[in-house]
Amino acid sequence: MTTRPSIELRHEVTRRAGNRCEYCLFHQDFAASTHQVDHVIAEKHRGPTNSENLALSCTMCNRRKGSDIGAIDPETGQLVRVYNPRTQNWLDHFEVKDARIVGLTPEGRATVELLHLNSYERMAERAELIHAGHFPIKSEI
Ligand SMILES: [Zn+2]
């Protein structure tokens, strides 16, 4: 059972994220379902329901992440932490190449794998958004 954040907290998280998923950068305006407020550290791992532990997440990323806080870096096989949007900077861990999100660090690579950020459907959708100018350029992240 997950504690639902208050409306005010949800608005704060959404505003801070610029209405984009903090994992894959997908904007709410183009999503079929409403972005969710994710506990970066799940409550079962003692993560609190406060601003410092919440992130905006699209349904796809949130479903894939679940309560996971660690994943395997596909390059080294090592268990590493999942990317934390509260304590880490997206551009330090990922880059966008064509429509692909590339992990630059162990955490970045593990997160790309765990969240299936480069599934066929997600890349096709991202390619359309990039083509239409609706996927962020570096200065917007
Ligand atoms: Zn996402």
Side-chain angles (χ1 to χ4, degrees):
M1 190 74 181
T2 300
T3 305
R4 291 178 61 88
S6 67
I7 297 285
E8 294 77 19
L9 197 48
R10 183 177 166 75
H11 284 177
E12 179 189 335
V13 169
T14 301
R15 188 173 44 252
R16 178 178 62 199
N19 221 1
R20 289 185 189 281
C21 172
E22 296 189 67
Y23 297 99
C24 74
L25 307 182
F26 195 63
H27 198 285
Q28 174 66 73
D29 287 355
F30 306 103
S33 54
T34 306
H35 283 7
Q36 301 168 340
V37 175
D38 166 57
H39 282 78
V40 177
I41 307 296
E43 286 186 291
K44 79 178 194 184
H45 301 301
R46 306 176 68 97
T49 303
N50 63 28
S51 180
E52 293 74 35
N53 188 46
L54 297 175
L56 193 65
S57 176
C58 72
T59 309
M60 298 276 284
C61 285
N62 205 18
R63 202 174 289 153
R64 292 290 313 172
K65 180 174 172 283
S67 62
D68 292 1
I69 54 175
I72 302 296
D73 173 3
E75 198 169 295
T76 65
Q78 296 294 303
L79 176 64
V80 297
R81 297 191 72 149
V82 174
Y83 167 71
N84 182 331
R86 292 286 65 80
T87 61
Q88 297 174 307
N89 185 316
W90 200 91
L91 287 171
D92 291 340
H93 295 275
F94 308 96
E95 67 179 353
V96 180
K97 272 194 180 159
D98 301 320
R100 178 176 295 275
I101 293 178
V102 178
L104 302 174
T105 61
E107 295 96 327
R109 290 188 296 268
T111 302
V112 166
E113 284 282 306
L114 179 71
L115 304 185
H116 284 202
L117 295 184
N118 295 318
S119 69
Y120 175 80
E121 295 79 13
R122 298 183 89 179
M123 284 185 58
E125 198 167 46
R126 197 175 299 131
E128 281 184 32
L129 291 174
I130 290 169
H131 183 72
H134 295 306
F135 196 77
I137 54 173
K138 271 192 175 186
S139 63
E140 296 173 324
I141 299 171

